[in-house]
Amino acid sequence: MNTASGGLGLAAPAPGWSIGADVVVVGSGVAGLTAALRCTAAGLRTVVVTKARLDDGSTRWAQGGIAAALGEGDTPGQHLDDTLVAGAGLCDEEAVRALVTEGAPAVRRLIEAGAEFDRTADGALQLTREGGHHRRRIAHAGGDATGVEVARALGAAVREAAVRTVENALVLDLLKDAAGRTAGVTLHVMGEGLHDGVGAVLAPAVVLATGGMGQVFAATTNPAVSTGDGVALALRAGAEVSDIEFVQFHPTVLFLGAGAEGRQPLVSEAVRGEGAHLVDAAGVRFMLGQHELAELAPRDIVAKAIMRRMRERGAEHMYLDARHFGRAMWETRFPTILAACRAHGIDPVSEPVPVAPAAHYASGGVRTDLRGRTGVPGLYACGEVACTGVHGANRLASNSLLEGLVFAERIADDVAAAHRAGAAPAHAPQGEGSAAVVPLVDPAARVRIQRIMSAGAGVLRSAEGLRGAAEALDAVQPGPVRPDPVRPDAVRPDLVRPDAARPAKAAEPGVEAWETTNLLAVARALVAAARLREETRGCHWREDFPDRDDDRWRRHLVLGLGPDASLTVAATDTEALDRGPGSTPRPEQDRSQGAAT
């Protein structure tokens, strides 16, 4: 087993090698590389651990761009207002204010680091609009290849700065010292190289920037590496997770057939920002009259409108019509999307593009404060893996890359300050054998988990569907069974109805088993929160509770793992909307389902 201290750890061989650092950054997207560069600039010995190659994370798939108040007449206040509206009452306004105030300077620093954005003829940044934005404030690169350019620029900067990097490495668990403080991570390096097999990076500060968890669903825009590893690690380490029920389904994903699974091609919101129309098979623009911004309404509204129209028409998809762009605009502004469509036999220049919603972005994640700190001393989180309070119940388009920039810089500054103050000495991890072993899931269950989640916890949710999903997930691996969903003002131990656990044989340690185990952990947490939230808000759509209910549900759901490895769910106070890790959720925690996975 690993050497995670005090609590839970994946079944894994003991580390056979180790390296030391002042800070280890797990992930190589915009958040991870920004944090690594800033920590290195502050003189910290920094190690980047990434699951694939340095530039193969989720960032490179970002098409639209980075939102910031960069245009003439735009202000951080206007950006803040649009973000709060999209977040449907659950944003932390202080976190959003930090994002929009520090956002434009952060983008300029990214440009100084080498990122080349599209420019107008007079050299100004070329800005576009996306859903939920009332102004053109989206900076983009390569037409629709912003993520590729950001990944290229940051990767080049990391190499130039000679930041130590461990590629093709799956992080396993957090290491802690005897006092429960962060002491590093265990990881498994896949393939041959300087390091191989299970090892450890020893450091008093760990920054989780592991990206999303889209692979928990059968169809997603996320790459194969997005298996929720950071969220699962944080739960096992004793950190809290919040707002995990709010998974954004991108409205316009290229429809490849009803049975299509895995990563699906995204049709960027910027296409609508430039004037494309959503239509049904009869050519009717069904978003007109649905919202003042029509096709540019916030993503949750557009996704719901598409699903409703599909049900009304008995259709499997709708269409995005941008034939009026003409060939030249498609080839210069959206070359990546054009190529993806043509690769699947669709020519947007001459025909509408079939689209349907698919899992895209996790608005929630590991609960942090405004410096990226979790409830575990020395453990930080930023980017999609984190819940900073910026996104609330629904992320505003193109705020994700900006959040990665801004909060990564904040984390790096906090880590550097702690290092200078001598508050972060190197602590030896507690000895092997101190953590309870989490039995691993058979990798063959991965597809089953994904199909369960898409069927029961996808765009449309209900008590019946979520209950079925919970029961099906319980059958994947032994452990206490989830109780009936309860209201946050009536969480009592006597409401829990445990059922008999189902026996199963644990899988052998290995990358596929570790990933599948992480997926199951994330799936169970998401379903637990979605069952509890009996309302429709943002990208959480309950068919049986179709209205937003601020009186009862303007609160965050906070999840953790109890001492006996059961999943706990609690709600924050309605008035306080507490954000800080370690703040006391109200009411008392519900002892909910969950073998610790």
Side-chain angles (χ1 to χ4, degrees), residues 5-26:
S5 162
L8 307 163
L10 292 171
W17 53 268
S18 67
I19 55 179
D22 297 318
V23 56
V24 54
V25 178
V26 186

Side-chain angles (χ1 to χ4, degrees), residues 326-462:
R327 183 177 304 277
M329 181 172 177
W330 269 110
E331 291 177 348
T332 58
R333 181 66 178 86
F334 301 111
T336 305
I337 298 170
L338 178 63
C341 289
R342 285 177 170 170
H344 291 281
I346 301 159
D347 188 354
V349 176
S350 59
E351 60 185 317
V353 178
V355 294
H360 181 58
Y361 190 88
S363 293
V366 183
R367 196 171 186 230
T368 74
D369 65 10
L370 296 184
R371 293 289 174 184
R373 296 173 291 201
T374 73
V376 178
L379 178 64
Y380 298 79
C382 59
E384 190 174 355
V385 71
C387 182
T388 62
V390 160
H391 303 309
N394 182 51
R395 175 179 66 102
L396 181 65
S398 287
N399 267 358
S400 51
L401 292 180
L402 189 71
E403 182 195 31
L405 284 174
V406 169
F407 284 87
E409 291 185 346
R410 285 178 155 244
I411 286 173
D413 292 347
D414 195 78
V415 173
H419 184 80
R420 289 193 300 269
H427 300 287
Q430 189 165 316
E432 183 178 356
S434 61
V437 177
V438 173
L440 301 179
V441 181
D442 186 339
R446 176 169 177 155
V447 172
R448 182 183 175 193
I449 293 168
Q450 293 168 329
R451 291 175 178 173
I452 289 169
M453 293 298 290
S454 286
V459 180
L460 303 179
R461 298 170 178 175
S462 66

